[in-house]
Amino acid sequence: MKNFKKIVSLVLAVCLMASLAIGASAANTVDASGGTGTSSVTLSSTADGSIGGDPAATKMSVTVPTVLPIAVGTDGTVNTASDAKIINNSFGAVKVDSVSIEAAQGWSLAAFGDKASLAHEKVNSNKFGFSISLGNGAAQITDGKNASKQTLLTAAIEGCFMSGVGDTAANSIGISYDAIVTPVSEAVTNASIASVLFIIAWDAV
């Protein structure tokens, strides 16, 4: 019985060492007269990058602004943030696959254009038009077809693509946006009038 336990312990120890070993578990033998040997190169994606680690795909990590502020003056002039951007912190390349906007807090979407297009609207009618462009891409604007929610971008276009984090010159894109807003009878501070949803995906083949 003691010998059996020793044998079991030895087998377990050998198995443990084999699981921890990093290297080839099998080898080709070339004899004294010469010859060739072939080695297969295998790939495993693991959580910590270790051989034999837990399987895991490359992790996506992208920073998107939590707020896109708009300030409207007493004459209807609108100002927006000039430093808004999306940053790719992932090892792999990503893209903005779609963009949509949904009105909130009793506000409604209107067609974007010159602020004069809202001149006929009543005060406190709570309507606004919105425009957004990513990187150097074309501006995507709201129309008058749906007052509650609109899809501004249905697929990645020029300006939507970001390289991996190692390429600091191309791993982020600027967000340029603008709006027109109907007049309000009372001062408003940081009112949430809409939310913009960015769908991010791998830039894969």
Side-chain angles (χ1 to χ4, degrees):
M1 187 67 179
K2 289 183 178 180
N3 289 334
F4 178 75
K5 289 183 177 179
K6 288 181 179 179
I7 292 173
V8 172
S9 298
L10 179 60
V11 171
L12 291 175
V14 170
C15 291
L16 178 61
M17 290 191 316
S19 67
L20 296 176
I22 296 177
S25 60
N28 294 309
T29 300
V30 178
D31 61 27
S33 62
T36 62
T38 302
S39 297
S40 176
V41 178
T42 63
L43 171 68
S44 298
S45 59
T46 59
D48 59 359
S50 66
I51 295 176
D54 294 332
T58 302
K59 183 179 179 180
M60 182 182 290
S61 175
V62 179
T63 302
V64 178
T66 56
V67 62
L68 297 174
I70 295 172
V72 58
T74 55
D75 63 350
T77 300
V78 167
N79 286 294
T80 59
S82 59
D83 58 352
K85 59 184 176 179
I86 299 174
I87 304 172
N88 180 22
N89 307 301
S90 313
F91 175 63
V94 300
K95 62 184 177 181
V96 179
D97 215 27
S98 68
V99 179
S100 60
I101 184 170
E102 184 172 6
Q105 303 294 330
W107 284 77
S108 301
L109 299 173
F112 177 82
D114 188 278
K115 66 180 182 180
S117 64
L118 297 180
H120 65 283
E121 298 287 350
K122 294 182 178 181
V123 175
N124 297 331
S125 58
N126 292 356
K127 295 181 180 181
F128 76 102
F130 190 76
S131 168
I132 188 170
S133 61
L134 304 176
N136 298 318
Q140 309 299 314
I141 63 175
T142 55
D143 55 33
K145 296 179 181 179
N146 191 321
S148 59
K149 184 177 182 179
Q150 296 186 23
T151 299
L152 303 178
L153 190 66
T154 58
I157 60 174
E158 181 183 356
C160 291
F161 300 90
M162 288 162 277
S163 66
V165 67
D167 185 0
T168 56
N171 73 315
S172 66
I173 54 174
I175 301 174
S176 299
Y177 63 104
D178 199 1
I180 55 173
V181 185
T182 54
V184 293
S185 61
E186 296 182 1
V188 175
T189 303
N190 294 330
S192 179
I193 64 172
S195 60
V196 177
L197 176 65
F198 299 94
I199 301 297
I200 311 295
W202 290 119
D203 184 14
V205 294

